[in-house]
Structure formats: C-alpha cells, structure tokens
Amino acid sequence: MTRVRSFSRWACLGLALAALGCSHPPTTDAQAPPVPPLALRARLPVGQHTRQVGRVAVDVRIPADSLRGTLLVLPGWNFSRTLWCDSTQLCRLADSLHLALVLPEMGRSIYASRYYPETRADYRHHLTLGWVTDTLLAWARDSLALLRPGQPNYLLGLSTGARGVALIALATDTLFRAGIALSGDYDPRAMPADNLMRNTYGPYERFTGRWAGPDNPTTRAAALRVPLYLGHGQRDRVVPWQQTQLYADSLRAVNPTLPIVLHLAPAHRHDFTYWGGELAAAFAWSLTH
C-alpha cells in the first residue's frame, strides 16, 4: 500500500510539472518519494494575504483544496517580494502542488548574523538572519500554524536569497526538508572586492575572520543537514557561477552523505528567465525529501 501511495504522489507531481512545461530533469538519481504527509491547516483562508510582521510586509498565499507543505520564498537583494510570482510561474506551480507560500519583504538584507562598527551606517537598518529565524519563523508558527517543526517545510531563494537559503538551513537544523538556491554566493572570500560584503563586514584585508566565519556557508558546509538543489547560469555577470560550483564541491567533499543537485546552465544569466525555468525541475527533486 505504501508503494502505491508513493507512486501516486510522484505521478501527480510529474503531471503537474509537465503541465507547466518541465523539460529539465533533475541531475541526480531520483529517490523513492515518501508517503504523502497529512494535510496541514493554516490559520488563513484560501487566497493571498498581506500581513505586517513588525515593520516588514509579508505575503502569504494559501492554495485551494489540500495544503501539503509550506515554502519560504526569499527575493534577491533589493528585489520586491512580489517579483517571484510576478515574473515566474511560482504561484501557479505552488498552487498545483498544494504548497503555501510565505514571501517576506527582505529589502537589502544579505542575511548577516550581526553588524559591526565597520558596517556602513545605512546597512545597519537591513534585516538580519536573526529576524528570519527568530521573528518571522515564530510569527509563522504562532499566527499561521505553518513552518512548524515536523511539517513539510521548504526553502527557495535567488541571488542573496540563495545565500539566505543556506544560512537559514544552517541556523534551523532540520526544520526544512530541502532548499532550492539559485544564482547565489556562498564564499565571499572568493570575491574580496564585493561591495555588499565589504560594506557589511568591513574590508576583507582587515577582517578575514568575519568573511570566513559563521556567515560563510562554505566554511560551514560540514554542518549542513538540509538537502539542496543548487543552480546557476554560467552567463551570469552579477554573481560568478563558480560560487555555486565551489559550494557544491565543498559540500560533496566534507558532507558526502547530504543529498544535493548541482545544475549549471551554460546559456543563462542572472534573470527571471533562468530562475523561472529552474522551478519545475527543482520542485520535482526537492519534494521527494
């Protein structure tokens, strides 16, 4: 019976993704899909809602029919929270897969754990990693009855949001079953002239410990417990695609039992054409965890 139910879930997922034009299979051996989780009950009705969490706007989207899991969606640096759904088929895909979406307005956050005397003054107002792990997740747990331990929770982020996926996964142990990280940067030491990092942590030449410390996903690769789908366009002129390659290499070297996918797209750039095109394959892999 378990085998039949698992196949049914996988077949339905495949049909839903095919309907959205998935032509990009995951680049790792498929794992046997688990038995479908029990339907969740959110404390909001079906549809899209905007709520304020302190000073931060958060959109919440609840699909019709059953609710099978929740996706925390992270935008890129200074990108509106609405761009994921405005510029890709994310909302349609999530609805078809019965996933709730939680979309916070992250502004110019790079998910730093703290700020320093050398942090540029205006950067000190940006949201930190702690705002996500302490404030946002507590609000979702208490107000929405979502993103709770033991539920089917997933992460999705692009650019700095992909860095956020890795850091949130590290900070929350196994709260999330899998993460999708696209076009991210994971080791600032390889980009010592990067202004976002210099303006946050101070110059690399003076503060190498900060650049290699707790906010560096690559140096902490051995501690990660959340399976990741890592993607990057190789014509990206904003974030070098080698950032994703090196992160995947580090995970495979020091964390060899952790399931990961690395997909490098030779023809793609740092844009929503690429990010939207990755979604179907990324979900097909991630939702098996």
Side-chain angles (χ1 to χ4, degrees):
M1 181 62 68
T2 297
R3 182 178 179 182
V4 172
R5 290 175 68 196
S6 295
F7 176 78
S8 175
R9 176 177 183 266
W10 186 244
C12 290
L13 174 60
L15 289 172
L17 297 175
L20 289 169
C22 175
S23 59
H24 170 105
T27 55
T28 191
D29 293 337
Q31 298 186 5
V35 175
L38 296 174
L40 304 176
R41 289 183 178 272
R43 291 179 180 159
L44 284 176
V46 169
Q48 183 156 321
H49 313 267
T50 300
R51 296 290 185 266
Q52 290 293 133
V53 181
R55 61 184 174 89
V56 181
V58 179
D59 288 344
V60 182
R61 186 178 177 93
I62 307 297
D65 304 319
S66 61
L67 176 55
R68 294 294 183 184
T70 306
L71 182 70
L72 176 57
V73 184
L74 307 174
W77 191 84
N78 208 27
F79 279 19
S80 168
R81 68 188 185 281
T82 66
L83 281 177
W84 260 118
C85 285
D86 290 346
S87 304
T88 74
Q89 296 190 71
L90 174 61
C91 280
R92 181 184 168 198
L93 178 56
D95 286 347
S96 71
L97 297 174
H98 306 287
L99 293 174
L101 299 181
V102 176
L103 304 102
E105 190 74 45
M106 294 304 299
R108 297 179 178 181
S109 175
I110 66 164
Y111 303 87
S113 60
R114 57 169 293 192
Y115 294 127
Y116 301 90
E118 295 77 19
T119 301
R120 205 171 82 176
D122 58 323
Y123 274 49
R124 296 174 192 167
H125 301 291
H126 301 342
L127 296 173
T128 63
L129 177 66
W131 181 83
V132 178
T133 59
D134 300 337
T135 302
L136 179 64
L137 292 181
W139 171 80
R141 180 187 67 233
D142 297 340
S143 299
L144 306 178
L146 298 176
L147 295 174
R148 289 177 165 179
Q151 292 180 347
N153 304 318
Y154 303 91
L155 287 159
L156 168 66
L158 64 87
S159 196
T160 50
R163 166 185 166 87
V165 165
L167 290 171
I168 292 166
L170 282 163
T172 56
D173 195 38
T174 57
L175 176 65
F176 295 93
R177 292 190 178 182
I180 302 166
L182 305 176
S183 306
D185 56 289
Y186 309 100
D187 191 348
R189 298 173 302 175
M191 303 184 300
D194 183 84
N195 283 330
L196 295 185
M197 300 298 162
R198 294 178 71 89
N199 291 338
T200 301
Y201 301 110
Y204 174 69
E205 298 79 11
R206 293 177 54 199
F207 302 103
T208 55
R210 295 176 187 173
W211 289 57
D215 293 359
N216 186 314
T218 299
T219 61
R220 300 181 61 199
L224 186 68
R225 299 182 64 191
V226 177
L228 289 183
Y229 182 104
L230 299 168
H232 213 125
Q234 289 183 289
R235 297 181 68 187
D236 193 325
R237 296 183 179 179
V238 178
V239 179
W241 64 267
Q242 291 88 347
Q243 281 280 313
T244 296
Q245 176 75 70
L246 292 171
Y247 186 42
D249 291 345
S250 295
L251 287 168
R252 287 168 174 164
V254 303
N255 203 341
T257 63
L258 182 73
I260 67 167
V261 166
L262 171 64
H263 178 245
L264 300 176
H268 286 281
R269 303 179 185 274
H270 198 87
D271 56 32
F272 280 101
T273 299
Y274 167 63
W275 300 319
E278 284 280 13
L279 288 177
F283 278 119
W285 182 81
S286 299
L287 295 181
T288 65
H289 295 282

